[in-house]
Amino acid sequence: MPISLFYSDSAKTLYGDAGYFDPWKLCWTPQASGMPADAFAVAPRDAVALLARAGLMRRVPVAVIGPRDAKPEEQATAEALGKGIGALGLQLLCGGKGGVMEAVCKGCLEAGGLPIGLVPDEEWSAANPYVAIPLATGIGPARNAIIARAAEVLIAVGGGYGTLSEMAYGLHFDRLVLTLGDAPAVPGAIACASVEEALDRACQRLLRLDR
């Protein structure tokens, strides 16, 4: 049974059947008293946006993964996904290079987000021009494991062996792994029909509604 969500502007608090949501610890806590009179019903994606806009949501990363040699349709999907992530106030994490990574950073940055790029190179300047926070690792493809460990949700847009390794790490670390387009089919990963579905599922995970 889906949980009912209510948000109060006066209290800057999200309420539900399990109590109230702590957006810094990302957990539900039993409430000692009732909801404020101004509480109104919200969908999970709207709840995340309201908490983020109020500066209350801890910026646990959502990772977008995919190939450097992305197809035009994959780049378009990644850019739309980045715009959605930026508009919601979520923290984007990616590999910081070209293709899907550059497209998602572009969308996120233009929507007001601050994309983090965990680049495999030894210098931050190797990141694509839309990465707001470039982090040079100097560890090559091994940085895939760090991305999977650091993110709460991984969304694959297309991809080959590199993307497949990130998906496998994500599932191994009990992360939510979502796919769009012709991303590799992996048991445990959830195929999404649209960017909107991927964003909805990501928000449900951050609000702990899918467990």
Side-chain angles (χ1 to χ4, degrees):
M1 189 86 178
I3 189 172
S4 298
L5 300 177
F6 299 88
Y7 183 78
S8 165
D9 277 323
S10 62
K12 296 289 187 292
T13 301
L14 180 68
Y15 299 89
D17 300 337
Y20 70 90
F21 185 70
D22 185 329
W24 200 251
K25 294 181 179 179
L26 301 186
C27 67
W28 288 91
T29 302
Q31 65 191 74
S33 58
M35 291 184 290
D38 67 342
F40 56 93
V42 290
R45 206 194 305 189
D46 294 329
V48 166
L50 287 164
L51 291 169
R53 209 168 293 141
L56 302 172
M57 195 86 172
R58 197 165 200 172
R59 299 175 74 93
V60 178
V62 171
V64 175
I65 56 180
R68 293 192 198 186
D69 55 344
K71 303 169 187 174
E73 59 269 26
E74 291 171 341
Q75 294 184 38
T77 297
E79 186 171 345
L81 182 58
K83 286 181 179 177
I85 289 171
L88 285 169
L90 299 178
Q91 181 58 61
L92 171 64
L93 173 65
C94 73
K97 300 297 281 186
V100 160
M101 294 168 281
E102 182 167 344
V104 73
C105 286
K106 181 176 186 292
C108 183
L109 188 67
E110 291 179 349
L114 294 173
I116 296 175
L118 199 66
V119 295
D121 311 81
E122 295 182 352
E123 298 295 337
W124 66 264
S125 55
N128 73 63
Y130 302 103
V131 172
I133 305 172
L135 301 175
T137 66
I139 60 174
R143 65 85 150 85
N144 292 359
I146 298 176
I147 290 173
R149 172 62 83 180
E152 181 73 18
V153 180
L154 291 90
I155 306 174
V157 182
Y161 291 127
T163 305
L164 184 60
S165 72
E166 290 169 298
M167 294 172 65
Y169 276 125
L171 291 167
H172 177 69
F173 296 144
D174 196 29
R175 306 312 192 214
L176 175 64
V177 178
L178 307 173
T179 67
L180 286 166
D182 59 355
V186 179
I190 300 173
C192 297
S194 65
V195 166
E196 289 70 25
E197 181 185 351
L199 290 171
D200 283 340
R201 287 185 178 274
C203 289
Q204 289 168 18
R205 167 54 66 98
L206 292 172
L207 294 176
R208 301 296 187 253
L209 302 178
D210 62 345
R211 294 182 174 180

